[in-house]
Amino acid sequence: MGMLVGQRCRLGGRFSRCNDPAEETCVYCGKPFCARHTYVLEGHEAVCTSARCRAKRDDLVAYQEYRRGVLARNHAGLCGVEGCVPHPAHECSLCRGHFCALHVRERMYPFREGWVTVERPASVCARCWDRRKIWRGA
C-alpha cells in the first residue's frame, strides 16, 4: 500500500473532481482514489467510496454470511432458507446451495461471456436473483 506515483484521485462529481494524490486503486471500478475517498482498505482489498463500489463490497460481505448459513442448514439436511424444513431437492446454479422446490426457481439469468451478456436458463435462489441488480455491468 502507498501512494500511486503521479496518479490523482478520480472520484467526485463532474465539476468537483478530487485532485488529491491517489493512494490506491479500487478493486471494483479500477479508479485511483485518495485517503479521503477510501471505503475499505484491508490487506489487498481497496474499495473507493463510490455508491456502486460500496454496494458491491457490502453485498459481498453479506453474501458470504448468507452462504455460510445455507451451507450449515444444508449439512443438517434442511433447505437453505432459514425456518424452512423440507428436504432440499434443488440446487441454485449460482451459489450451489440446496433448497426445496419453493425456494429455487428456473429463470433466464444474464451471464457474461467475454464482452457479451447472454440470457440462459438457470435454477436460482431468491438471494442470488436479487444480487444481479448490484453486479449488473460488472
Side-chain angles (χ1 to χ4, degrees), residues 16-56:
S16 61
R17 178 99 42 221
C18 179
N19 201 25
D20 290 347
E23 294 189 4
E24 293 295 334
T25 301
C26 183
V27 296
Y28 296 116
C29 68
K31 292 179 182 175
F33 62 90
C34 66
R36 189 166 47 110
H37 288 109
T38 299
Y39 184 59
V40 173
L41 192 57
E42 299 172 353
H44 295 289
E45 184 179 28
V47 183
C48 73
T49 58
S50 80
R52 280 190 75 144
C53 297
R54 286 192 328 258
K56 287 179 180 184

Side-chain angles (χ1 to χ4, degrees), residues 2-138:
M3 282 202 220
L4 301 173
V5 179
Q7 297 247 1
R8 295 285 178 191
C9 181
R10 289 188 38 211
L11 270 70
R14 183 178 202 160
F15 299 110
S16 61
R17 178 99 42 221
C18 179
N19 201 25
D20 290 347
E23 294 189 4
E24 293 295 334
T25 301
C26 183
V27 296
Y28 296 116
C29 68
K31 292 179 182 175
F33 62 90
C34 66
R36 189 166 47 110
H37 288 109
T38 299
Y39 184 59
V40 173
L41 192 57
E42 299 172 353
H44 295 289
E45 184 179 28
V47 183
C48 73
T49 58
S50 80
R52 280 190 75 144
C53 297
R54 286 192 328 258
K56 287 179 180 184
R57 176 26 162 87
D58 293 348
D59 174 70
L60 185 60
V61 170
Y63 188 67
Q64 289 168 340
E65 182 65 28
Y66 167 77
R67 285 285 300 124
R68 283 190 287 275
V70 168
L71 186 61
R73 287 186 287 280
N74 287 170
H75 279 301
L78 302 173
C79 172
V81 172
E82 187 156 353
C84 186
V85 291
H87 181 72
H90 305 277
E91 181 180 57
C92 175
S93 300
L94 303 173
C95 70
R96 300 295 184 207
H98 293 94
F99 301 89
C100 69
L102 295 173
H103 292 117
V104 71
R105 288 183 47 197
E106 189 76 17
R107 303 174 186 250
M108 294 303 286
Y109 193 87
F111 289 95
R112 297 281 304 201
E113 292 183 3
W115 297 100
V116 179
T117 300
V118 177
E119 298 264 334
R120 291 191 315 221
S123 296
V124 183
C125 69
R127 179 67 171 94
C128 288
W129 180 251
D130 290 342
R131 291 184 82 216
R132 81 194 187 291
K133 298 169 191 168
I134 295 168
W135 293 90
R136 187 179 310 157

